């Protein structure tokens, strides 16, 4: 290719729009731009319609719930609110206290296990479709295409000298990127402060300082991580990309180039691959899928869309690049899902964490009792020889009604509760610390530590509410 | 990668090479250089703004006027503002009223922790568990009374026990009988020969019962100990009891005498502090209703 034609090619490709069907010649002309990502040049991926493209948008649209979330109301308050100041976490009708944090831990465990099982079944499906980095990059590059044009036009703009037009486009783009960052950060913050109160505070320039600081990492993070670094983030910063290899096996279906069909690649009807580089051109991380599985591939399957469109054009069957497992490619028998130990073990683990969560949520209760035994002294001998132990009872009323309760003892023979006949009142949402003294006659103190159970009863009906076990300490 | 490798081959090296790895003369990364040059800027700013340069007459003051004392005062002021409404309320309440108000007694106990730790815990233990030869506050055996008023009085005015040394007064036989009497008294029994010694009806004519009472149960008005409950002010072993009898308590005539002095806190602590301390001591578990 001579120098003159090369320039002509570039000019011609400037006019090519992403969603218009291309002729084969145009494909090859454009292919000079489709380069594998080596980190040196910015990736400007081509956008093409297709099955996986549509799926990607559908999954991405789930993030609308993230932005709408804070505005959902429930029983007069915000449906999802992590009220750090009052240490209460509202999720619709449910109120979680810091004590219930283990349920959150199980929920996180479930998410991680889901990630593992998805990876074992279909590779980095999460990375390619649902990861916020991928989704935000997708939206940012969509905006970029609307403002700067096709990949070729963007490349041209990048290398063009700074003039008023470039400044306007780049400045406008940066502003929109920052605004999305602000929306992301403010939305995140509004899961911790009631959203209407938050906006009121923003517009009236009120404190606390936290609400001004909290969105900053998101603004900086989205601008640097999504606006600038993009796929470099996946390459160099994301730990998940590093551990994916150990979560996949020969049965995992991943976007794969069918080498037997494709090779030898070339323009003149050798293998099925016509070497148009379109799969590289559409790749948001700039990898060449024909090299096989690699760390840069986030498995968004956009190359499958691209390749299928080309196969259709050259009248060959679709699926030169397709979701397939290594075993399928090697012609080995494919093991069904339910016979794969990895999938079975992950499923069992997920089932157990889910059971834990369900058990936790159904056994939250509205009253919690913690018993703290006095440490200094552990016990006291009284004038009549009996042994006295002191406890601090922390009664937590997680309900929304005031509580009136009585305390009772069990499991400890001879135990006398001193001065606790009167009913105790616990206001809703409060923790009441209560000093409790227990006597046991010396003759009945047979061991240095004996079991004792504190019960909380309804003061009016005497109905059992909750119990906590502790120890009664004596000289033994 | 290819671009970077090419750059490496073009780059000048220092001539050092180990196993084919050359030390290049590339510039350090730009972010590193920026950080490096920011440090002197930071230092200059810090030197100007904060007290930092040591002079013989004291360090430079810094433009911000920051001092660690100032920061401490600010923090203290903050907590005092939070405590102010409670403190006003407590100042107007008697110790007994505080005790009967769960919220205020909770505040009193927690806000006086530090004062108790600084002044009381050395002898009485952080939880009122007492110490060797120091009284336990958590039990129900009180020398001077365990009502909230008496506890407050004890803290305010201090206490000092007084028991004469009886060394040389008893014959060995009388001493043996007295010890047996005390041992039995702790178990609710009466050893008659010893009781005679105790009541001063023997030759020694030492009337222990004048202070400790004929029933040996002590007298809270004068702070004499109850000898029948198995709880001893000093030491319950036979040797310990004998020592107390021989050398007395706070007897200036005997150098080996037991020391038992509760200091006067009324001059050192405020009335509010003492009220709070009385509530705390009462709630250790031994407080008695009047």
């Amino acid at each position: 290719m001579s120098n003159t034609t090369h320039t002509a090619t570039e000019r011609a490709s400037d006019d090519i729009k992403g969603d218009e069907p291309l002729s084969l010649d145009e494909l090859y002309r454009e292919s000079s731009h489709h380069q594998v990502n080596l980190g040196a040049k910015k990736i400007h991926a081509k956008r093409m319609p297709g099955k996986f493209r549509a799926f990607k948008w559908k999954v991405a649209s789930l993030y609308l719930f993230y932005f709408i979330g804070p505005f959902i109301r429930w029983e007069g308050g915000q449906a999802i609110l992590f009220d750090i100041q009052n240490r209460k976490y509202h999720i619709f009708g449910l109120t979680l206290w810091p004590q219930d944090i283990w349920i959150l831990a199980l929920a996180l465990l479930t998410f991680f296990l889901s990630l593992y099982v998805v990876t074992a079944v279909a590779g980095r499906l999460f990375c390619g479709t649902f990861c916020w980095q991928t989704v935000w990059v997708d939206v940012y590059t969509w905006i970029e295409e609307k403002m700067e044009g096709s990949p070729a036009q963007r490349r041209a703009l990048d290398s063009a000298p700074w003039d008023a037009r470039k400044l306007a486009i780049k400045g406008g783009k940066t502003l929109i990127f920052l605004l999305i960052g602000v929306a992301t950060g403010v939305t995140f913050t509004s899961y911790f402060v009631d959203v209407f109160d938050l906006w009121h505070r923003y517009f009236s320039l009120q404190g606390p300082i936290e609400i001004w600081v909290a969105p900053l990492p998101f603004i900086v993070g989205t601008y640097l991580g999504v606006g600038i670094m993009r796929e470099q983030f996946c390459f160099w910063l994301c730990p998940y990309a590093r551990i994916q290899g150990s979560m996949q096996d020969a049965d995992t279906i991943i976007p794969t180039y069918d080498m037997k069909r494709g090779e030898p690649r070339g323009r003149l009807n050798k293998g099925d691959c016509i070497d148009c580089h379109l799969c590289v051109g559409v790749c948001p991380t700039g990898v060449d899928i024909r090299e096989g599985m690699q760390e840069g591939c986030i498995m968004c399957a956009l190359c499958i869309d691209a390749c299928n469109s080309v196969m259709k054009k050259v009248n060959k069957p679709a699926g030169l690049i397709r979701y397939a497992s290594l075993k399928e490619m090697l012609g080995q028998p494919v093991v069904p899902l339910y016979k794969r130990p990895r999938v079975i073990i992950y499923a069992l683990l997920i089932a157990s964490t889910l059971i834990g969560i369900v058990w936790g949520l159904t056994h939250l209760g509205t009253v919690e009792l913690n018993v703290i035994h006095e440490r200094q002294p552990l016990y006291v001998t009284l004038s009549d020889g009996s042994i006295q132990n002191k406890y601090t009872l922390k009664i937590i009323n997680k309900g929304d009604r005031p509580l009136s309760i009585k305390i009772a003892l069990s499991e400890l023979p001879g135990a006398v509760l001193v001065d606790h006949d009167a009913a105790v009142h616990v206001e809703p949402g409060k923790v009441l610390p209560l000093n409790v003294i227990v006597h046991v006659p010396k003759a009945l103190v047979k061991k240095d530590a004996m079991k004792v159970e504190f019960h909380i009863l309804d003061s009016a009906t005497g109905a059992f509410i909750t119990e906590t076990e502790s120890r009664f300490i004596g000289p033994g | 990668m290819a671009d970077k490798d090419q750059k490496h081959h073009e780059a000048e090296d220092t001539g050092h090479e180990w196993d084919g790895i050359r030390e290049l003369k590339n510039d350090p990364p730009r972010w590193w250089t920026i950080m490096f040059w920011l440090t002197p800027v930071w230092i200059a700013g810090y030197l100007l703004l904060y007290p930092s340069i040591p002079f013989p007459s004291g360090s430079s003051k810094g433009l911000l006027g920051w001092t660690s004392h100032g920061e401490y005062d600010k923090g203290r002021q903050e907590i005092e503002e939070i405590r102010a409404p409670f403190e006003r309320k407590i100042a107007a309440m008697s110790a007994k009223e505080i005790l009967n108000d769960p919220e205020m007694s909770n505040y009193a106990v927690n806000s006086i922790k530090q004062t108790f730790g600084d002044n009381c815990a050395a002898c009485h233990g952080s939880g009122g568990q007492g110490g060797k030869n120091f009284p336990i506050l958590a039990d129900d055996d009180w020398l001077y009374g365990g009502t909230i008023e008496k506890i407050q009085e004890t803290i305010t005015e201090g206490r000092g026990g007084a028991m004469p040394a009886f060394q040389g007064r008893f014959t060995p036989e009388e001493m043996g009988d007295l010890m047996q009497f005390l041992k039995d008294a702790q178990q609710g029994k009466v050893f008659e020969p010893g009781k005679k010694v105790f009541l001063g009806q023997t030759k020694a004519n030492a009337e222990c019962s004048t202070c400790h009472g004929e029933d040996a149960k002590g007298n809270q008005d004068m702070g004499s100990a109850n000898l029948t409950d198995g709880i001893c002010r000093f030491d319950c072993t036979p040797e310990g009891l004998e020592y107390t009898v021989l050398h007395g308590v706070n007897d200036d005539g005997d150098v080996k005498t037991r020391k038992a002095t509760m200091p006067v806190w009324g001059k050192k602590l405020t009335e509010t502090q003492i009220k709070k301390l009385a509530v705390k001591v009462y709630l250790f578990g031994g407080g008695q209703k009047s």
Side-chain angles (χ1 to χ4, degrees):
Chain A
M1 209 185 273
S2 75
N3 272 341
T4 38
T5 47
H6 187 73
T7 357
T9 316
E10 279 196 350
R11 249 186 242 125
S13 60
D14 275 356
D15 308 326
I16 295 167
K17 287 269 165 58
D19 36 8
E20 279 171 20
L22 298 171
S23 75
L24 216 51
D25 286 340
E26 281 171 320
L27 260 180
Y28 280 111
R29 244 184 285 141
E30 212 189 50
S31 74
S32 63
H33 293 294
H34 302 330
Q35 283 173 348
V36 174
N37 184 7
L38 297 170
K41 278 186 186 163
K42 186 161 186 158
I43 295 293
H44 285 298
K46 187 178 164 63
R47 278 173 179 268
M48 289 184 71
K51 201 170 78 178
F52 288 101
R53 176 68 261 175
F55 177 66
K56 220 164 133 69
W57 276 128
K58 275 180 201 150
V59 175
S61 64
L62 291 174
Y63 274 99
L64 289 175
F65 289 109
Y66 167 75
F67 290 100
I68 298 167
F71 293 96
I72 303 171
R73 302 283 110 184
W74 191 269
E75 288 172 0
Q78 189 164 316
I80 305 166
L81 181 67
F82 303 100
D83 186 349
I84 291 187
Q85 205 165 13
N86 297 312
R87 298 189 189 87
K88 279 189 220 166
Y89 312 112
H90 305 281
I91 301 163
F92 290 91
L94 208 68
T95 301
L96 294 179
W97 287 55
Q99 291 88 332
D100 308 319
I101 201 84
W102 62 273
I103 298 177
L104 179 69
L106 279 185
L108 287 176
L109 206 58
T110 312
F111 291 141
F112 279 119
L113 287 168
S114 314
L115 196 63
Y116 297 164
V117 75
V118 164
T119 309
V121 171
R124 294 169 68 182
L125 198 60
F126 169 80
C127 289
T129 52
F130 196 57
C131 174
W132 36 93
Q133 172 75 15
T134 303
V135 172
W136 261 242
V137 166
D138 203 23
V139 171
Y140 275 44
T141 48
W142 179 78
I143 291 167
E144 200 166 73
E145 181 154 286
K146 293 288 161 220
M147 296 186 71
E148 295 184 3
S150 69
Q153 287 167 327
R154 275 183 267 165
R155 267 180 227 111
L157 188 70
D158 283 351
S159 52
W162 282 95
D163 55 16
R165 183 180 153 270
K166 183 172 176 179
L167 202 65
I169 292 176
K170 292 277 181 189
K173 186 184 80 174
T174 306
L175 188 70
I176 293 177
F177 283 6
L178 285 173
L179 282 175
I180 295 177
V182 169
T184 309
V186 168
T187 303
F188 180 81
T189 312
S190 53
Y191 280 99
F192 298 88
V193 183
D194 189 280
V195 66
F196 295 114
D197 180 37
L198 185 73
W199 279 108
H200 174 76
R201 284 170 187 278
Y202 280 137
F203 283 120
S204 55
L205 299 176
Q206 285 177 38
I209 187 81
E210 284 86 349
I211 63 166
W212 294 94
V213 174
L216 286 181
F218 288 86
I219 299 166
V220 176
T222 46
Y223 186 71
L224 292 181
V226 180
I228 293 176
M229 285 189 73
R230 300 190 181 173
E231 84 287 344
Q232 299 293 324
F233 198 95
C234 310
F235 270 86
W236 308 116
L237 286 177
C238 179
Y240 182 56
R242 307 292 121 131
I243 52 174
Q244 57 152 340
S246 62
M247 293 194 279
Q248 288 174 196
D249 52 31
D251 291 308
T252 307
I253 53 163
I254 53 175
T256 313
Y257 165 66
D258 192 339
M259 250 174 73
K260 280 184 201 146
R261 243 188 81 186
E263 300 295 321
R265 63 183 81 155
R267 189 167 186 176
L268 296 166
N269 283 340
K270 297 171 185 167
D272 278 0
C273 174
I274 60 162
D275 203 15
C276 64
H277 276 85
L278 194 60
C279 54
V280 179
V282 297
C283 179
T285 63
V287 302
D288 187 346
I289 190 66
R290 295 171 299 173
E291 310 264 308
M293 205 250 300
Q294 51 204 291
E295 66 164 2
C297 175
I298 58 169
M299 300 188 190
C300 60
L302 291 180
C303 50
I304 301 184
D305 279 348
C307 190
N308 282 348
S309 78
V310 173
M311 288 298 111
K312 199 173 165 191
K313 204 165 293 171
V314 297
N315 285 322
K316 285 188 176 142
L320 177 60
I321 303 175
R322 63 177 184 275
Y323 260 107
S325 69
L326 184 62
K327 280 193 180 167
E328 187 190 329
M329 281 297 158
L330 295 173
Q332 293 170 2
V334 176
V335 185
L337 269 186
Y338 59 87
K339 279 190 184 162
R340 290 169 55 190
R342 230 178 240 256
V343 176
I344 295 167
I345 291 169
Y346 284 142
L348 286 176
L349 286 174
I350 291 180
S352 60
T353 55
L354 284 177
I355 289 169
I357 293 171
V358 169
W359 187 90
L361 292 180
T362 49
H363 288 73
L364 278 177
T366 51
V367 182
E368 194 162 317
L369 171 67
N370 291 324
V371 179
I372 303 155
H373 192 286
E374 176 69 38
R375 288 187 207 157
Q376 278 185 318
L378 285 170
Y379 68 90
V380 170
T381 308
L382 299 180
S383 346
D384 63 358
S386 58
I387 303 299
Q388 169 175 301
N389 274 210
K390 191 177 153 197
Y391 304 84
T392 306
L393 266 52
K394 298 224 164 170
I395 304 155
I396 306 157
N397 183 0
K398 298 201 243 169
D400 45 13
R401 249 162 273 140
L403 264 181
S404 184
I405 49 143
K406 274 193 307 195
I407 297 159
L409 289 177
S410 77
E411 302 289 314
L412 185 62
V416 179
L417 200 57
V418 181
D419 280 346
H420 270 294
D421 311 323
V424 182
H425 300 278
V426 194
E427 293 303 309
K430 294 273 183 214
V431 183
L432 179 82
L434 205 62
N435 269 326
V436 171
I437 287 166
V438 177
H439 291 177
V440 173
K442 176 126 198 207
L444 293 170
V445 181
K446 297 204 173 74
K447 283 193 291 181
D448 55 0
M450 299 183 294
K451 190 175 145 187
V452 58
E453 264 178 15
F454 288 87
H455 294 239
I456 287 194
L457 312 173
D458 188 295
S459 71
T461 62
F464 171 83
I465 299 175
T466 187
E467 67 180 353
T468 298
E469 194 183 309
S470 186
R471 288 282 174 276
F472 186 90
I473 314 251
Chain B
M1 261 354 108
D3 285 8
K4 281 182 184 171
D5 285 346
Q6 263 176 4
K7 211 170 140 195
H8 284 182
H9 287 292
E10 287 157 11
E12 221 184 314
D13 65 36
T14 57
H16 299 155
E17 186 176 335
W18 299 271
D19 295 340
I21 300 168
R22 294 181 305 134
E23 187 182 31
L24 301 181
K25 277 186 174 173
N26 282 333
D27 287 338
R30 198 187 306 152
W31 67 266
W32 189 92
T33 316
I34 293 169
M35 296 298 271
F36 177 77
W37 286 112
L38 275 180
T39 43
V41 176
W42 178 274
I43 292 170
Y46 191 91
L47 287 178
L48 271 176
L49 294 174
Y50 284 95
S52 47
I53 309 162
F55 295 115
S57 57
S59 77
S60 62
K61 294 279 178 276
L63 293 177
L64 290 181
W66 181 91
T67 63
S68 51
H69 273 114
E71 192 161 292
Y72 165 74
D73 287 339
K74 223 171 103 189
R76 206 183 54 179
Q77 211 175 336
E78 250 171 59
I79 195 139
E80 274 172 6
E81 268 166 36
I82 296 167
R83 287 179 168 192
F86 291 93
E87 290 294 327
R88 273 198 297 276
K89 229 168 136 185
I90 265 192
M93 290 166 96
S94 74
K96 193 166 192 172
E97 282 166 342
I98 298 169
L99 200 57
N100 290 332
D101 182 335
E103 196 196 357
M104 294 313 287
S105 64
N106 195 18
Y107 169 77
V109 167
N110 287 309
S111 63
I112 205 66
K113 213 181 235 169
Q114 188 83 41
T115 313
F116 186 88
D118 289 350
N119 298 294
C120 317
C123 298
H124 294 292
S126 60
Q129 74 270 35
K132 192 171 158 59
N133 290 332
F134 289 104
I136 299 168
L137 303 178
D139 65 16
D140 65 341
D141 180 62
W142 298 92
L143 289 169
Y144 297 91
T147 62
I148 185 76
E149 293 85 2
K150 281 286 173 193
I151 295 170
Q152 196 180 353
E153 187 186 306
T154 303
I155 301 170
T156 311
E157 292 168 16
R159 301 286 186 191
M163 174 170 161
F166 288 92
Q167 196 163 30
R169 295 273 296 274
F170 298 113
T171 64
E173 197 185 320
E174 282 171 328
M175 194 64 185
D177 288 347
L178 184 63
M179 286 303 120
Q180 188 62 44
F181 169 78
L182 291 176
K183 197 180 160 193
D184 284 1
Q186 290 180 357
Q187 287 151 13
K189 293 184 282 188
V190 180
F191 181 66
E192 287 303 335
K195 186 162 187 183
K196 279 189 179 157
V197 182
F198 186 78
L199 294 172
Q201 292 163 354
T202 61
K203 214 174 160 194
N205 192 23
E207 272 185 66
C208 307
S209 53
T210 311
C211 296
H212 290 287
E214 288 187 14
D215 55 2
K217 287 199 166 151
N219 182 347
Q220 290 188 343
D221 287 335
M222 60 198 304
S224 59
N226 181 349
L227 303 174
T228 64
D229 62 4
I231 299 172
C232 300
R233 166 67 181 83
F234 297 104
D235 188 348
C236 264
T237 63
E239 298 78 25
L241 287 170
E242 191 175 327
Y243 187 99
T244 311
V245 172
L246 291 176
H247 303 293
V249 179
N250 291 340
D251 184 339
D252 293 338
D254 190 325
V255 288
K256 285 169 146 182
T257 192
R258 295 217 189 256
K259 296 274 195 285
T261 308
M262 167 79 177
V264 178
W265 294 103
K267 287 175 187 160
K268 199 182 166 191
L269 303 174
T270 67
E271 203 193 326
T272 306
Q273 281 178 311
I274 290 175
K275 274 193 276 192
K276 287 180 180 176
L277 282 175
V279 171
K280 186 172 172 72
V281 170
Y282 185 98
L283 291 176
F284 275 142
Q288 289 168 340
K289 289 185 177 150
S290 35

